[in-house]
Amino acid sequence: MEAAALNRLLGEDRSQLGPGLEQFNKQHQQIFNFSHLTTSGQWVLLWNRLFELLADPEMPHRVECLVAIKLLSRDKTYLNDTVREDQLDCLLGLAGIGALGDVRFTAGEEVQIEALKCLSNLIFQSSKCQELCLRNASTEGIMRRIKTYKDGNVCYDIRYFDMKLLFLLTAINCDIRAKVREELHGLVYLVETLDLFMGQAAEEKEFSVNVELINEVLKVLFNLTVRTPLNAIPEEEEANQFHRLVIVVHDLFFYRTLNRDKIISLQSNIVNLLTSVPVSCYTELLTPLNSDDLDSKNVVPFEGKNVYVLHVLVEFLRRVFQKSEKKSDQYELLSPILTVLIKTIRASALNRRYIRSEILPPLKNVKDRPEIGTELRNYLCSLLTSPITQIADLSAELLFVLCKENVGRMIKYTGYGNAAGLFANRGLLGGRQGNTEQYSSDSEDSDTEEYKQIQHAINPVLGCYEPPKPNPLEGMSEEQKEYEAMQLVALMDKLQRQGIVQACKIGEDGRPQPVEHIMELQDEIPEQQRDHKRKT
């Protein structure tokens, strides 16, 4: 920036402020590193000068000043050292969320919007501002304005940036999150706000306009609910809030817009929010089936219920699988939806039966391995051996619960090799069974004719059909067989001594237990097999 232009802003001639601000903002619109100002000390001078100007209620260039502050706040080199509490209070006042009764700052909508943008930048960039917001009027001011949304006097942009700012505050600082939730009853008011925005969209018959605003509300709600443990049973008052939240979220699944990307974004935020909702509230995702609506696109009948929401969740999983080709993306993309589906199927038997019918339908093609193919079962089986252990565990739990925690059924659909990690972690090796008592005894298996025809030739380890193979020991004498067996033992022992593999036997707890020598494995041979060996 030319020295003459900078002098316009730092000088006392107010008539030069307008052109100076306009030139500065235009030149730095795409600049994020202000090293040319920070190294010379001009950044600090300019920052303080802009706030001096804002403090003057008669100054006509407030919007331009705020834009300049927004641009300067992109560079956090001296932000923590320079920003002061009174400057933050000034921005809060101009944004319309200052301390109650503080009438020093009155501003129109355009000024409020720019002030909110400045606050968002400052809170994102400055740890000092984050700490100041814990004791200033920021959260109270936002919540106070949220309560007035129903009056219809707050424009869309202000509501949008209110939510953006509240999201940042509750995401970055856990103390602010607790304050908004506990002291300011944020969960109650934000659920009401979400319901209000949905109602307005329905009245206007145009959802695409409000979807971004609703997304921001969902993000804030996620921040406020994320502390709830997976299986926590909330207190009565909190449980009622969660039930109300899920009822409102349920209705969101039925909203439509011509912009497909916006719907995907909305569903993604809904899924993220549902990860922090207690399992006990998931029953609200189902609605009774109305015979008058059977022809509607929003109706998926199943056992007397409309399971459209479950259908959307399953399709969301399918879409994520098609999208998450990179291993690095898998955890971020798959973890939320897998968590939600696990909680969904644990919430009710009907949920489990429907999702099972979509993910684990009766087997037909078992000539390929379970992890090969484009069906949901194939994708999930391929994740069982994923190096990302969190994803492998979530996929295993989803499939295992769909199988009613029955080891035999799990092997049938995934193959023992794919499920071995789950069995080892849960102590289910050696024929032990999972917690099957919590499920009904009615079998949900219905084998197809294709499956029955080749069932006898299915390799349970691979989980697929294996053509007959010649016996490699055929034609060998007993001495040759014994020699080959000892060679195998020697090779396994060598691998173990070199630390390449660790031989294990099944312990009393059903989990792998390391052995010191490979010959200890013979203790695992069942008594009847040893008897048979002695007889031959």
Side-chain angles (χ1 to χ4, degrees), residues 487-501:
Q487 286 290 98
L488 180 60
V489 169
L491 288 171
M492 292 175 65
D493 185 55
K494 182 179 178 181
L495 289 172
Q496 175 160 317
R497 283 187 282 104
Q498 292 177 345
I500 297 174
V501 298

Side-chain angles (χ1 to χ4, degrees), residues 202-243:
E203 289 176 7
E204 298 166 7
K205 296 183 179 180
E206 179 51 58
F207 185 59
S208 59
V209 177
N210 277 349
V211 67
E212 292 180 1
L213 181 57
I214 288 173
N215 275 333
E216 294 304 319
V217 181
L218 291 172
K219 291 177 186 177
V220 179
L221 283 167
F222 171 77
N223 288 346
L224 298 183
T225 58
V226 72
R227 70 173 179 83
T228 303
L230 183 64
N231 292 315
I233 301 175
E235 296 179 4
E236 184 176 353
E237 181 181 352
E238 193 175 60
N240 291 335
Q241 294 173 8
F242 274 112
H243 276 286

Side-chain angles (χ1 to χ4, degrees), residues 71 101 184 188 239 307 334 343 348 362-363 372 400 405 422:
L71 296 176
L184 302 177
V188 175
V307 295
L334 286 168
K343 297 173 83 168
S348 79
L363 293 174
I372 297 174
F400 198 44
E405 301 190 33
L422 169 75

Side-chain angles (χ1 to χ4, degrees), residues 302-303 310 345 348-360 402 404 440 442 444:
F302 185 80
E303 297 185 13
L310 305 188
I345 61 179
S348 79
L350 188 147
N351 290 359
R352 178 176 50 76
R353 287 194 293 271
Y354 173 75
I355 293 176
R356 174 184 164 84
S357 70
E358 294 291 314
I359 294 178
L360 296 180
L402 288 176
K404 299 203 288 191
S440 65
D442 297 337
E444 295 167 16

Side-chain angles (χ1 to χ4, degrees), residues 439-450:
Y439 303 101
S440 65
S441 58
D442 297 337
S443 174
E444 295 167 16
D445 279 336
S446 180
D447 293 336
T448 62
E449 289 301 320
E450 297 96 320

Side-chain angles (χ1 to χ4, degrees), residues 95-201:
I97 53 175
L100 192 62
D102 187 353
V103 294
R104 291 176 298 166
F105 308 100
T106 54
E109 289 182 353
E110 191 176 3
V111 171
Q112 290 185 45
I113 292 167
E114 288 302 324
L116 285 167
K117 292 178 182 178
C118 290
L119 286 166
S120 295
N121 270 17
L122 284 173
I123 289 164
F124 183 74
Q125 295 277 63
S126 167
S127 57
K128 181 179 179 180
C129 289
Q130 296 164 18
E131 294 171 5
L132 289 173
C133 285
L134 187 58
R135 60 176 185 266
N136 66 18
S138 55
T139 50
E140 288 88 345
I142 296 173
M143 295 306 300
R144 186 168 63 247
R145 183 151 63 194
I146 284 174
K147 297 174 188 177
T148 68
Y149 286 174
K150 60 181 180 294
D151 300 330
N153 298 324
V154 183
C155 73
Y156 175 91
D157 285 342
I158 290 178
R159 289 182 293 169
Y160 178 78
F161 285 106
D162 275 350
M163 291 301 127
K164 292 280 282 187
L165 182 58
L166 189 57
F167 167 74
L168 283 172
L169 287 167
T170 53
I172 291 172
N173 192 306
C174 59
D175 293 326
I176 293 178
R177 188 185 312 156
K179 178 182 177 181
V180 172
R181 179 186 172 114
E182 307 297 340
E183 296 178 24
L184 302 177
H185 309 290
L187 188 57
V188 175
Y189 290 115
L190 282 163
V191 171
E192 290 179 358
T193 300
L194 183 61
D195 200 15
L196 173 68
F197 292 166
M198 290 168 58
Q200 291 172 347

